[in-house]
Amino acid sequence: MSTSEFLVRLRHISSLFVSLLFIFFISTISTLSVALASSLARDSLTVEYDITVHIDPVAQTIEGHNIISTKSTHELILALSSRFKVRNILIDGIILEQLSMEHGMMQTWRIPDSQGVPRRIEVYWEGKLLPLNTSLNHRQTLNRGEPVSGEFGTFLPDSSGWYPHIVGELASYRVSLKMPHGQRGIVAGKIIKESNSSEGYHALFEFPFPSEGIDFMGGPYTVETDSMYGIGGKKIQLRTYFHPEIKELAHDYINAVKKYIQLYESWIGAYPFSEFSVISSPTPTGFGMPTLTYLGINVLQLPFIRSTSLGHEVLHNWWGNGVYPYYPGGNWSEGLTTFMADYAYKERIGPEAAKEMRLSWLRDYITLSSDQDFALEKFTTRTHGASKIIGYNKAAMIFLMLRDLLGNENFDRALRLFWKQNQFRIASWLDLQRAFEAESGKELQRFFEQWLTYAGAPSVRIAKAVRTSSEFGYDVTVTLEQVGSSYNLHVPVAIHTKEAIEIKTFNLNQEKQTFSLELPNKPIKVTLDPDFRLFRKLTPDEAPPILRQIMVNQDTKTILLSGKGEEREIAEGLAGKLLRRTPEIAVLADISKVTSVLVIGLQDQVRRWLNLNNLPPRPINMSRDGTAHAWTIRQDGVTFIVVSAKDASSLYTLVRPLPHYGRQSYVVFDGAKVIERGTWPAHVQEVILN
Ligand SMILES: [Zn+2]
């Protein structure tokens, strides 16, 4: 699996979002608007949990007791997974005589309005956990949202309802935990007490901040501990909870975490917690929660994780878990985290690496069909590839454009202000806008409005560029247009002279506008946004085709050059894997009517077919002779993937690896091994001045 494919699997989990969905679900039958409103109000820490729990991964049992103290006096909804048995619910010492209601995976109770008096709700519960299935992938692990347990690991996501909780309220908590000897468990928060003996493992965790929920992780962990001092002199405890087979990675992970905390403390402000832990998971999952990140054993072994995803997860302690997104207005935290982690690391490598990332975002964006595209304000959490392209990449690019507009210093000052003002609060895109306005003195209403509320992207073109001689040298007039849109854009245009390239920024706020400038040296060429700093729809030339474009296109037609037998079956199987659906097989006569074509055949068949259709032969970039080649061609508005193999067995070998190379324009295989790959160069929009 390629680097990018793996990174796509890592995500930040939002348990609040899951709770919100749950609220939405049950609000059709009960009035929960009060609970919902209070969960979204600022400073709404009115609930405290005091949980004592015994988890046995061998027997797969849980037994617990939660004392819920709340200052909220309105009606509350108490919820717990339906798979558990409740022995008793006491409200201020009095048994609640009420049958639970079933809502999907949850059982709920109404806790009546208390006429202004704070309440103490005690719940005793017990039950069986589901067996851990290590063959699940990341998506399945998350989507199931079930409490699973086994000797190799226990994962009780907040969304599984593993402990009795009040729906829609942020809560602080204490968790006192007991597990059998050889097992360790952890929840987000500070360890107050810990003991490990032949009797078993005991630990007490405290999380004094408003929390969106509690996720529990356990396993046969080897724990390494270290510490550092934050900028305010605060001691921060760093830990790894690793399965024995990867325990030698602990040191490197702890050091990497230290560096990230230092980086973001100096960039944003003090680390908000007093600990950070990296925990290994027996399933190939990956996400972050306050004070910790939970990553699959196999993910942790990938060397690039320490230099990319780990930093992203550490940064979520500021954005996401330090300031909570106001989900109904859109989740800004993934975009800001992507910008200040994934993208910032590319900038540190160099301008070319950063440009490559921007280009890949824009290239990915045009693979979206119009029904997959949506306005950024609708993004809450990542559910599929399209939501990442908008919620992470487009949002990150908006922060880049904002920084280009305001300057680095204003931008960073605004981030620090936003952090100071919103720590442990729910904040919206509007709160971000206000911080950027306050520090830059610029009015940014239009900027935020267009990028948050418009779906799609502007298509910007150089309609015309003319050079004339003037008294002082030369005049250049450039006419820019945005086809069918009305964004207010700051468009970078490069003016090339023999000696240098100068980037000018033109403020395009109409559909078509002409800009002039005077130059002492003779300009020979103008190019549009050559560094890809503007979020826009690339033209076909700017975005040379990548395999994914044809793979995700629902209109792609497939041409199989092998007529019959096993060879044809293999080709058809490969087409199905690439397109992730039953391929629509076309005959030659059909291609005049389509725009997206997948062609699969053996080398001679492919050579003949390309020739017959006046298409170029296999490009020289793919000079290496492997056993199979796949590449894209664009001609006369039609995009092709051509897959050509030496023989049927070489074709068969592609079935597993080829779908993972969607971001490439060409790939050369020797057996199942990739020996060459790449993207065709982007051709920026240019006008030669005569
Ligand atoms: Zn994230």
Side-chain angles (χ1 to χ4, degrees), residues 10-13 312-313 316 333-334 337-338 392:
L10 297 168
R11 70 162 221 180
H12 164 64
I13 193 169
H312 181 112
E313 298 305 343
H316 270 310
S333 79
E334 289 303 346
T337 302
T338 302
Y392 288 56

Side-chain angles (χ1 to χ4, degrees), residues 357-367 397 529 532-538 543:
M357 183 170 252
R358 296 191 296 269
L359 178 59
S360 74
W361 290 342
L362 295 176
R363 204 183 255 151
D364 285 350
Y365 175 72
I366 51 165
T367 67
M397 193 116 184
D529 187 24
F532 305 103
R533 302 189 81 88
L534 184 65
F535 189 77
R536 61 193 175 89
K537 228 176 260 164
L538 297 180

Side-chain angles (χ1 to χ4, degrees), residues 72-141:
S72 292
T73 60
H74 55 74
E75 182 182 279
L76 299 170
I77 302 293
L78 175 71
L80 177 71
S81 166
S82 303
R83 69 174 55 253
F84 302 134
K85 207 170 86 197
V86 170
R87 277 199 310 221
N88 252 329
I89 300 174
L90 302 167
I91 299 181
D92 296 323
I94 298 165
I95 291 179
L96 178 75
E97 305 278 2
Q98 187 190 106
L99 290 176
S100 66
M101 295 196 290
E102 296 284 325
H103 300 297
M105 277 167 53
M106 298 284 172
Q107 47 185 330
T108 63
W109 297 262
R110 281 164 181 262
I111 308 298
D113 187 305
S114 69
Q115 321 281 326
V117 186
R119 278 163 293 184
R120 178 185 155 101
I121 303 158
E122 280 178 79
V123 188
Y124 293 82
W125 87 103
E126 63 189 16
K128 288 287 276 183
L129 301 165
L130 280 171
L132 172 79
N133 178 356
T134 52
S135 69
L136 293 183
N137 67 27
H138 174 55
R139 201 148 297 227
Q140 289 164 322
T141 308

Side-chain angles (χ1 to χ4, degrees), residues 626-628 649-650 653-654 657 668-675:
T627 52
S649 82
S650 303
T653 313
L654 297 183
V668 182
F669 286 90
D670 189 24
K673 200 169 148 245
V674 170
I675 55 169

Side-chain angles (χ1 to χ4, degrees), residues 259-539:
K259 289 206 181 98
Y260 287 123
I261 291 180
Q262 282 161 353
L263 167 70
Y264 294 117
E265 283 207 318
S266 62
W267 196 348
I268 308 165
Y271 181 69
F273 304 107
S274 52
E275 55 288 306
F276 188 83
S277 302
V278 185
I279 303 158
S280 60
S281 157
T283 56
T285 187
F287 39 80
M289 298 152 215
T291 75
L292 55 90
T293 183
Y294 188 48
L295 297 164
I297 297 172
N298 54 349
V299 177
L300 285 162
Q301 286 170 300
L302 299 169
F304 61 85
I305 294 296
R306 253 167 288 153
S307 54
T308 55
S309 319
L310 181 66
H312 181 112
E313 298 305 343
V314 170
L315 179 54
H316 270 310
N317 286 281
W318 283 265
W319 311 137
N321 296 321
V323 183
Y324 317 116
Y326 175 71
Y327 289 93
N331 176 0
W332 46 266
S333 79
E334 289 303 346
L336 189 52
T337 302
T338 302
F339 179 64
M340 294 178 71
D342 312 55
Y343 179 71
Y345 310 149
K346 294 288 180 190
E347 280 192 332
R348 292 176 142 208
I349 295 170
E352 274 308 309
K355 178 177 159 183
E356 187 48 49
M357 183 170 252
R358 296 191 296 269
L359 178 59
S360 74
W361 290 342
L362 295 176
R363 204 183 255 151
D364 285 350
Y365 175 72
I366 51 165
T367 67
L368 292 187
S369 60
S370 56
D371 57 327
Q372 287 174 311
D373 200 356
F374 58 91
L376 182 56
E377 63 172 357
K378 300 257 172 11
F379 171 76
T380 48
T381 190
R382 196 170 100 205
T383 46
H384 44 75
S387 56
K388 182 172 194 263
I389 289 171
I390 303 296
Y392 288 56
N393 304 356
K394 179 178 181 180
M397 193 116 184
I398 287 163
F399 286 108
L400 172 84
M401 290 188 290
L402 191 59
R403 194 185 62 182
D404 282 351
L405 190 66
L406 307 182
N408 288 13
E409 279 181 27
N410 285 335
F411 184 86
D412 286 350
R413 266 208 317 275
L415 287 179
R416 287 193 282 271
L417 177 70
F418 176 68
W419 170 244
K420 218 167 112 188
Q421 290 179 333
N422 295 289
Q423 196 173 338
F424 297 124
R425 291 176 165 192
I426 294 166
S428 65
W429 276 107
L430 185 62
D431 293 305
L432 270 167
Q433 179 187 327
R434 286 194 186 121
F436 285 111
E437 285 177 337
E439 290 297 343
S440 69
K442 280 201 163 83
E443 200 267 315
L444 297 168
Q445 173 61 23
R446 178 84 192 276
F447 179 91
F448 278 90
E449 191 189 305
Q450 68 189 12
W451 293 119
L452 292 176
T453 65
Y454 299 2
S459 298
V460 184
R461 304 265 185 280
I462 304 178
K464 199 175 163 191
V466 179
R467 178 188 65 211
T468 49
S469 302
S470 76
E471 210 181 316
F472 307 102
Y474 300 90
D475 283 332
V476 180
T477 56
V478 180
T479 304
L480 297 178
E481 66 176 331
Q482 47 176 325
V483 186
S485 64
S486 56
Y487 286 80
N488 183 4
L489 301 170
H490 292 87
V491 184
V493 172
I495 317 286
H496 300 241
T497 61
K498 244 189 184 147
E499 296 76 28
I501 302 170
E502 199 182 340
I503 306 274
K504 296 277 175 195
T505 305
F506 296 134
N507 184 197
L508 175 68
N509 53 27
Q510 295 159 26
E511 204 168 325
K512 201 167 187 178
Q513 255 170 294
T514 300
F515 305 89
S516 310
L517 48 105
E518 231 175 49
L519 296 159
N521 296 331
K522 187 178 180 182
I524 50 177
K525 187 169 82 172
V526 293
T527 51
L528 183 106
D529 187 24
D531 291 323
F532 305 103
R533 302 189 81 88
L534 184 65
F535 189 77
R536 61 193 175 89
K537 228 176 260 164
L538 297 180
T539 63

